[in-house]
Amino acid sequence: MAPLKRQAADAAGRLKRFLYRDGRPGRVMRWANRFDAWLYARGISRVPQAAVLRVPGRRSGQPTTVPIAVADLDGADYLVSMLGREANWVRNIEANARRATLIRQGDEQPVRLEEVPAGERAPILRRYAAVAPGARPHLGLGPKASLDEFARIAPEHPVYRVLGDPLSFR
């Protein structure tokens, strides 16, 4: 990568990490996430893998939404927490028996999420880095990093396989 391009990428990464201090979005990013969720739910996005995850809050029970990139690999879809296990959406998912709603292109789909063991996450994380460039500063790796490098960070980033949830239709 050219030195100037590398400096710009490094600066963008520092800014992104600053906007997510302590692993949580600050005021500006909370607003940006709400706006992105509104856009993504309507199918307005430059990113084809853009979606919105809706899950009841673990304390309030009120629906919470978060914009998310869906990593597709080998015919399956996956959700990855770029902020780790303490991200609110991960904690809400775990409190809600891993059930949620995934909204893509305006289509709402009840889903069940199955956590992928850390030893199987490396190729999924690499695919996620390819489809979610905004997550790269949090992962610390780009899509060209080796699988060994992704295996090293895998325990820090929960990955969930998206499964249809036929029980939600009853």
Side-chain angles (χ1 to χ4, degrees):
M1 184 180 293
L4 188 56
K5 192 173 181 182
R6 167 52 72 198
Q7 287 175 345
D10 289 346
R14 283 192 301 276
L15 175 62
K16 184 84 171 189
R17 287 187 299 274
F18 173 78
L19 294 170
Y20 281 92
R21 280 183 302 250
D22 301 321
R24 302 238 186 262
R27 183 177 295 160
V28 171
M29 285 313 299
R30 282 194 305 269
W31 180 86
N33 284 342
R34 279 194 289 273
F35 183 67
D36 283 349
W38 184 85
L39 290 173
Y40 293 1
R42 286 152 184 79
I44 305 168
S45 172
R46 298 182 328 252
V47 182
Q49 290 83 4
V52 175
L53 183 69
R54 185 172 61 214
V55 63
R58 64 190 174 283
R59 292 187 198 127
S60 70
Q62 297 300 309
T64 62
T65 59
V66 63
I68 199 156
V70 179
D72 53 329
L73 185 68
D74 297 332
D77 289 336
Y78 298 91
L79 305 183
V80 176
S81 176
M82 69 180 189
L83 299 177
R85 190 156 300 284
E86 294 304 311
N88 275 327
W89 74 264
V90 173
R91 295 170 75 195
N92 289 339
I93 284 293
E94 293 297 335
N96 197 48
R98 297 187 182 152
R99 295 186 185 282
T101 300
L102 197 59
I103 306 166
R104 298 190 222 187
Q105 306 285 320
D107 182 39
E108 296 188 18
Q109 176 189 12
V111 296
R112 189 169 44 86
L113 302 175
E114 173 183 80
E115 188 166 5
V116 175
E120 300 172 19
R121 294 178 187 167
I124 301 163
L125 288 169
R126 183 160 62 183
R127 176 66 180 149
Y128 178 68
V131 301
R136 293 175 196 163
H138 301 287
L139 298 175
L141 298 172
K144 294 182 181 176
S146 72
L147 283 178
D148 287 341
E149 290 175 283
F150 281 104
R152 180 181 49 79
I153 68 164
E156 302 164 25
H157 299 281
V159 174
Y160 295 92
R161 176 190 287 262
V162 177
L163 305 171
D165 190 1
L167 296 178
S168 295
F169 298 107
R170 290 184 186 170

